[in-house]
Amino acid sequence: MSSKVHVNKPLSSKLIIEILDENPDLEEINCPLSLYERTSEIYLDALSELGITINVIESRGRPKKYDDNLKDTINEMISSGLSVKAIASRLNIDTKTVYYLKKDKLKQGPKSKYSDKTKKEIVKLKNEGIPVTKISEKLNIPIRTIYYILKKNREN
């Protein structure tokens, strides 16, 4: 039940009745300009007689589901040391939403357990023509990891 409703379908008598049944204290209907232009004058007059105003929204796209206050709350909770999971359960929203709304970008995955020095040594040995299997045995690193490090080095 709300005093304001956003409509994303053309106003018809059936839709107006449904909206009024669900929101008996309705005062305002928000709708995009394109829908307002397609609404019959009869429906607009009837809503006006009921004391319901039609607010035409000029902006495009779907209205935002979450406001800036929620973003601020999430960022305060993060800075106070709460985990994303704890924030999501306290605010009763999905963890993905918390990640989406938080101020800082997501941190990259876990750090590599091999140092930059080790990675450079792998590249150096490979450039010297030493086979990956020998590099793996020498440094005691799985072959698959050697290939991964070499691939990442080529991309950078």
Side-chain angles (χ1 to χ4, degrees):
M1 295 188 166
S2 177
S3 63
K4 290 183 182 182
V5 174
H6 178 79
V7 178
N8 58 3
K9 295 177 187 172
L11 287 171
S12 63
S13 58
K14 184 178 178 182
L15 181 61
I16 292 170
I17 291 170
E18 285 176 19
I19 292 170
L20 291 172
D21 285 344
E22 291 174 13
N23 306 286
D25 58 341
L26 186 66
E27 296 173 2
E28 184 177 310
I29 296 177
N30 296 326
C31 75
L33 179 62
S34 61
L35 290 181
Y36 181 80
E37 290 172 345
R38 291 185 279 162
T39 303
S40 169
E41 288 291 325
I42 296 169
Y43 299 143
L44 296 175
D45 291 340
L47 288 170
S48 178
E49 287 178 23
L50 292 171
I52 299 170
T53 57
I54 306 269
N55 183 20
V56 179
I57 300 170
E58 302 269 341
S59 62
R60 300 236 181 244
R62 181 175 174 207
K64 292 186 189 259
K65 190 173 182 180
Y66 303 106
D67 61 1
D68 290 335
N69 292 337
L70 181 62
K71 287 181 182 181
D72 294 340
T73 303
I74 288 171
N75 289 316
E76 287 171 16
M77 293 172 99
I78 287 171
S79 62
S80 72
L82 283 172
S83 70
V84 170
K85 197 171 185 177
I87 294 169
S89 68
R90 282 192 186 177
L91 298 176
N92 199 24
I93 57 177
D94 194 47
T95 54
K96 287 183 180 182
T97 305
V98 176
Y99 278 113
Y100 176 74
L101 293 175
K102 73 180 209 154
K103 180 175 60 178
D104 300 325
K105 297 252 188 244
L106 288 176
K107 293 178 182 163
Q108 295 300 316
K111 290 186 177 182
S112 174
K113 68 182 198 179
Y114 302 105
S115 68
D116 287 340
K117 182 180 174 185
T118 305
K119 291 177 185 177
K120 287 177 184 176
E121 186 176 355
I122 290 169
V123 172
K124 181 181 149 234
L125 292 170
K126 181 65 178 160
N127 289 340
E128 290 174 0
I130 298 174
V132 171
T133 52
K134 298 289 183 195
I135 298 171
S136 172
E137 290 169 9
K138 179 179 180 184
L139 300 176
N140 196 24
I141 297 174
I143 294 173
R144 186 173 175 183
T145 305
I146 301 287
Y147 279 117
Y148 177 79
I149 290 170
L150 289 170
K151 181 182 176 197
K152 279 292 184 188
N153 188 59
R154 273 183 291 203
E155 291 174 359
N156 294 338

